[in-house]
Amino acid sequence: MRKVDVHRTIDEAKFNKFHLNVLFWCALVIIFDGYDLVIYGVVLPVLMKEWDLTPLQAGSLGSAALFGMMFGALIFGPLSDRIGRKKVIMITVVIFSGMTFLNGFAQTPTQFAVMRFIAGLGIGGVMPNVVALMTEYMPRKIRSTMVAVMFSGYSVGGMSSAFLGMYLMPSYGWQSVFFVAGIPLLLLPLIWIFLPEAVGFLLKEGRKEEAGRLLARVEPSYTPAASDDFHLVTGKGRSVALVALFQNGRLVSTLMFWVAFFSCLLMVYALGSWLPKLMNKAGYELGSSLSFLLMLNFGAIFGAIGGGWLADRFHLRRVLTIMFAIAAVSISALAIKNDMIVLYLLVAIAGATTIGSQILLYAYVAQYYPLAIRSTGIGWASGVGRLGAISGPMLGGALISMPLETNFLAFAIPGAIAGLAISMVGRSAVHAPEEEENLAFVGETGKLEVD
């Protein structure tokens, strides 16, 4: 009987077609996820005029999806440990894509807010699961980079939203950009066919043959046999998953992750929701003000991929600390009168170090916690962080009547706080002896057992 170390097989595999397939479909889901999320910032100036919204009302309306994202992350993160990541990803795609499409038919702010809240459940729920799936399948040497590449799809979606808004809204109205969001519904059959289930979940369910076939695709030199014992370190201790986040030396790190998520998401959604409006207020026409949103997400792609590349060579904590410091400086500098080229550059740097840092935060949390509490760790960090995301649009609405400098300085302060918080996270997770020794394996019985 051969013993197969699942983690080692995945960690030491070389990047191949299987990894590319996982990357492609997860990135595609995130592209549409990012499109659906950024879309509010694109239509905000038009909605404020059409529905005669005050800045505070507009900020509250923008927070509707973010409230949904908070609950979605808390619900769908842990749920995937029960029914599988693939099913949860499919469910959340249906929710956020379908409800964003229906948003185009909203006649009142109340209808709009309700549908945005429901869409937010899917948007928030899909993120922890695609991050966890990517983390579980990517080779160790390029894991941070690949998660960052995948999550840069969020910025591609945001850029697509701004780009389409510039060209569709003048001719077809704000509703048109919401109708585009229905495209992922047509791709659901392909996602179901090509997106693999997490191998850990398959072993947990006793689906040994499926797990073996997937491992053979991860590492082609491995040939599965019916007698194989699959060993998988789960990190499962004696406590429930949520309690385990605070045990074995993880208390400070968990709280600091939450502070960093809160602060980072506040910056991301404050800028994403209000940057076009602030630039419109500064004298730029709607089309040119939307181009700043385009540049924000363009910069995020370079920040995420470049930060991931650096993280695989140094350490995520060090890279993130520096990126947050740069975010605070670049956003503060937006308050100063600059040439257009300098202004675009500062917006791109702000996007690289806010949205890019958010992406790397997900990668850090996913790698920090053991497998058994990974989804819970990502889900709760993301869920608590949504309180910052909710606060961002509302803060922007409260400050919009103040000088432009006040808005950007208020958006920059959380960057300094996030940098301080992440610098206090432990370099690596500490596990209790039972977590290190708790090996899940599937033998000839085909059932998950605990050694």
Side-chain angles (χ1 to χ4, degrees):
M1 186 179 292
R2 180 176 54 171
K3 293 183 179 180
V4 179
D5 187 330
V6 176
H7 276 315
R8 184 175 180 181
T9 301
I10 294 173
D11 286 349
E12 297 180 359
K14 293 184 178 180
F15 189 85
N16 58 38
K17 290 182 180 179
F18 173 80
H19 299 101
L20 184 62
N21 175 71
V22 176
L23 174 63
F24 174 80
W25 289 105
C26 286
L28 190 64
V29 169
I30 288 296
I31 286 173
F32 286 107
D33 192 59
Y35 179 94
D36 289 8
L37 186 56
V38 174
I39 201 170
Y40 181 70
V42 174
V43 302
L44 177 59
V46 178
L47 288 182
M48 289 185 70
K49 184 180 295 185
E50 183 170 322
W51 286 340
D52 195 26
L53 299 174
T54 66
L56 280 176
Q57 288 174 327
S60 299
L61 194 62
S63 294
L66 305 177
F67 270 109
M69 290 178 70
M70 177 178 67
F71 290 108
L74 297 178
I75 294 169
F76 289 110
L79 181 63
S80 67
D81 290 329
R82 295 187 177 185
I83 68 172
R85 305 205 195 288
K86 184 174 179 176
K87 287 181 181 177
V88 169
I89 290 172
M90 296 287 290
I91 292 169
T92 51
V93 168
V94 170
I95 293 172
F96 76 69
S97 184
M99 294 311 300
T100 303
F101 174 81
L102 292 176
N103 242 140
F105 297 100
Q107 300 293 318
T108 66
T110 301
Q111 292 176 0
F112 188 93
V114 170
M115 285 186 276
R116 285 298 285 167
F117 173 81
I118 299 173
L121 292 173
I123 294 171
V126 77
M127 288 183 181
N129 286 289
V130 291
V131 173
L133 191 64
M134 283 288 294
T135 302
E136 288 169 29
Y137 274 125
M138 291 298 119
R140 179 183 291 275
K141 289 183 179 179
I142 59 171
R143 187 165 292 156
S144 294
T145 302
M146 289 298 101
V147 171
V149 169
M150 179 271 294
F151 233 128
S152 65
Y154 168 91
S155 301
V156 174
M159 290 170 61
S160 302
S161 187
F163 182 78
L164 288 175
M166 292 168 63
Y167 290 97
L168 291 179
M169 286 199 299
S171 301
Y172 304 103
W174 62 266
Q175 295 89 344
S176 58
V177 292
F178 285 93
F179 295 149
V180 174
I183 293 176
L185 297 175
L186 304 176
L187 300 177
L188 285 173
L190 295 177
I191 295 174
W192 180 255
I193 292 171
F194 293 108
L195 188 68
E197 180 55 87
V199 68
F201 177 78
L202 294 177
L203 293 177
K204 177 183 175 183
E205 293 293 299
R207 293 155 64 179
K208 177 185 173 183
E209 291 185 5
E210 289 180 60
R213 288 196 296 269
L214 275 178
L215 280 179
R217 294 175 63 192
V218 172
E219 178 48 75
S221 64
Y222 163 69
T223 303
S227 60
D228 285 347
D229 280 347
F230 294 97
H231 286 243
L232 181 66
V233 179
T234 65
K236 184 174 178 61
R238 299 187 178 95
S239 303
V240 296
L242 179 58
V243 176
L245 297 180
F246 303 97
Q247 294 180 329
N248 306 316
R250 293 189 285 255
L251 172 62
V252 173
S253 294
T254 293
L255 292 177
M256 291 303 101
F257 274 133
W258 290 5
V259 171
F261 261 84
F262 179 95
S263 302
C264 183
L265 289 172
L266 189 152
M267 290 189 296
V268 168
Y269 292 105
L271 288 171
S273 297
W274 287 103
L275 186 61
K277 182 63 179 177
L278 287 171
M279 292 306 179
N280 199 225
K281 177 185 174 183
Y284 299 96
E285 294 181 357
L286 178 60
S288 59
S289 64
L290 283 176
S291 67
F292 287 104
L293 193 61
L294 196 67
M295 189 59 64
L296 185 78
N297 286 279
F298 182 73
I301 296 175
F302 289 93
I305 297 175
W309 183 85
L310 289 171
D312 280 327
R313 284 149 183 81
F314 301 102
H315 193 274
L316 270 165
R317 181 179 62 180
R318 185 181 305 169
V319 173
L320 277 167
T321 302
I322 295 172
M323 288 179 70
F324 280 130
I326 296 173
V329 173
S330 61
I331 295 174
S332 299
L334 289 174
I336 304 171
K337 281 278 186 178
N338 290 294
D339 293 334
M340 280 294 291
I341 295 178
V342 176
L343 198 57
Y344 276 125
L345 181 61
L346 287 173
V347 170
I349 294 172
T353 52
T354 56
I355 301 173
S357 294
Q358 178 205 0
I359 293 167
L360 294 180
L361 271 177
Y362 276 103
Y364 197 1
V365 172
Q367 295 177 37
Y368 181 84
Y369 293 111
L371 180 65
I373 60 173
R374 180 172 295 151
S375 289
T376 302
I378 299 171
W380 274 84
S382 179
V384 173
R386 293 302 154 190
L387 294 173
I390 292 165
S391 303
M394 297 178 72
L395 177 64
L399 297 177
I400 193 68
S401 59
M402 296 185 180
L404 205 62
E405 296 81 2
T406 304
N407 287 267
F408 286 121
L409 288 174
F411 295 164
I413 292 173
I417 296 173
L420 179 62
I422 212 68
S423 68
M424 298 173 65
V425 171
R427 185 173 178 84
S428 59
V430 178
H431 306 309
E434 68 269 18
E435 290 179 338
E436 293 289 358
E437 297 169 4
N438 193 357
L439 298 177
F441 67 93
V442 177
E444 293 181 326
T445 62
K447 297 293 185 181
L448 181 74
E449 303 171 20
V450 176
D451 188 14

